[in-house]
Amino acid sequence: GDSVTQMEGPVTLSEEAFLTINCTYTATGYPSLFWYVQYPGEGLQLLLKATKADDKGSNKGFEATYRKETTSFHLEKGSVQVSDSAVYFCALSDSNYQLIWGAGTKLIIKP
Amino acid sequence: EADIYQTPRYLVIGTGKKITLECSQTMGHDKMYWYQQDPGMELHLIHYSYGVNSTEKGDLSSESTVSRIRTEHFPLTLESARPSHTSQYLCASRTGKTEAFFGQGTRLTVV
C-alpha cells in the first residue's frame, strides 16, 4: 500500500540555520503531497502542498518540491526561527481518498 | 481560517463513563475523519466517513463508534471509557483529494 517515510526527530537547530526535513513516499498513480505543522496543544495546520510533479509549494518561508523521479517532497527553510519549533507531518492523498501520514518530525530551534 | 470545531477542548472523566466528542464543520465537506494522537506523535485513523450515512473503521481499534446523519456533524462516542483511551482526538474534513482541515482537538483524560 501507499506509505510516507519522514526523517526521525527530534531535529535540533540554532536560530537562523538552514532546515531540511526529508520526506519520501510510495504511491500508485499521482498523489497530492502535503506538509502540515502542529504546535503544542493544537490541531494540524496545512503548511504547503503540491498536486503534481515538479510543483513547488511554499508558505511562510518554507518550500517543498514534488519530485516524482525520487518520490520525495523534502521540506526546506533558509533561516529558521524559534517560533518554527513544532512537529511537522508529511502526508499524501491516495487514489482511494485516504490521507497517508508520516510519523512526524519534531523540530526544536534554540536561540 | 478553518471552519471545523471540536468540543470539548479538554475532558477528564471516570472509567466506565460514556462520552461523546463533538465535531462540526461548516465547509460542506463530504469527507470527515477521526484520529487519535498522543501529543506530538503519529496520527492513528480511528474512523472516517465519505458522506451521509457512510462510516468506516480505520486502522486503530479504539472501541468507539461514529455516526454521520448530517454532512456537517461527525460525533465520536466511547461507550465505556478506559484509562487506555487517554489521548488527544483530532477531527478533520476535506473534499475530493484536497487538503484536510483540522479542528483544535479534544484532550481526553480517563481516570
Side-chain angles (χ1 to χ4, degrees):
Chain A
D2 297 349
S3 66
V4 173
T5 302
Q6 65 179 100
M7 191 171 187
E8 277 193 35
V11 173
T12 303
L13 296 172
S14 298
E15 207 166 19
E16 299 184 4
F18 184 87
L19 168 70
T20 300
I21 300 178
N22 291 337
C23 173
T24 57
Y25 68 90
T26 303
T28 54
Y30 304 94
S32 295
L33 300 173
F34 309 96
W35 275 103
Y36 282 79
V37 59
Q38 185 179 34
Y39 299 103
E42 301 289 327
L44 278 69
Q45 303 172 27
L46 179 70
L47 182 59
L48 53 83
K49 65 180 180 182
T51 57
K52 61 184 188 296
D54 300 324
D55 267 2
K56 178 185 279 189
S58 61
N59 187 24
K60 300 180 182 178
F62 291 90
E63 293 183 341
T65 301
Y66 187 162
R67 303 275 189 209
K68 192 162 178 64
E69 64 276 11
T70 54
T71 62
S72 65
F73 192 55
H74 304 322
L75 183 68
E76 297 181 334
K77 186 176 186 183
S79 176
V80 293
Q81 306 301 313
V82 172
S83 57
D84 293 327
S85 297
V87 181
Y88 292 80
F89 290 90
C90 184
L92 69 82
S93 175
D94 74 6
S95 56
N96 294 319
Y97 300 101
Q98 278 299 339
L99 284 165
I100 310 298
W101 297 90
T105 301
K106 184 173 184 178
L107 175 65
I108 300 169
I109 306 299
K110 297 188 172 180
Chain B
E1 196 74 23
D3 295 316
I4 179 165
Y5 308 99
Q6 291 186 242
T7 57
R9 284 294 309 275
Y10 303 93
L11 180 61
V12 180
I13 199 162
T15 297
K17 298 292 186 183
K18 178 179 179 178
I19 56 173
T20 296
L21 307 184
E22 299 288 347
C23 177
S24 294
Q25 51 96 5
T26 59
M27 297 172 282
H29 288 167
D30 54 340
K31 297 173 185 61
M32 296 189 74
Y33 307 82
W34 275 105
Y35 293 93
Q36 183 176 338
Q37 184 198 30
D38 291 331
M41 303 297 284
E42 282 185 77
L43 296 174
H44 297 283
L45 181 64
I46 313 171
H47 295 280
Y48 61 98
S49 167
Y50 285 171
V52 170
N53 295 324
S54 157
T55 62
E56 300 287 344
K57 286 194 172 186
D59 303 323
L60 181 67
S61 173
S62 71
E63 301 156 342
S64 59
T65 59
V66 291
S67 63
R68 189 91 183 274
I69 298 171
R70 305 195 315 266
T71 297
E72 62 271 21
H73 193 216
F74 191 44
L76 174 77
T77 297
L78 285 173
E79 292 293 333
S80 179
R82 300 209 299 237
S84 60
H85 293 137
T86 295
S87 191
Q88 177 165 247
Y89 292 82
L90 295 173
C91 180
S93 73
R94 67 196 289 236
T95 185
K97 295 184 180 181
T98 63
E99 66 269 25
F101 293 87
F102 281 80
Q104 294 280 70
T106 294
R107 184 73 64 89
L108 174 65
T109 302
V110 183
V111 297

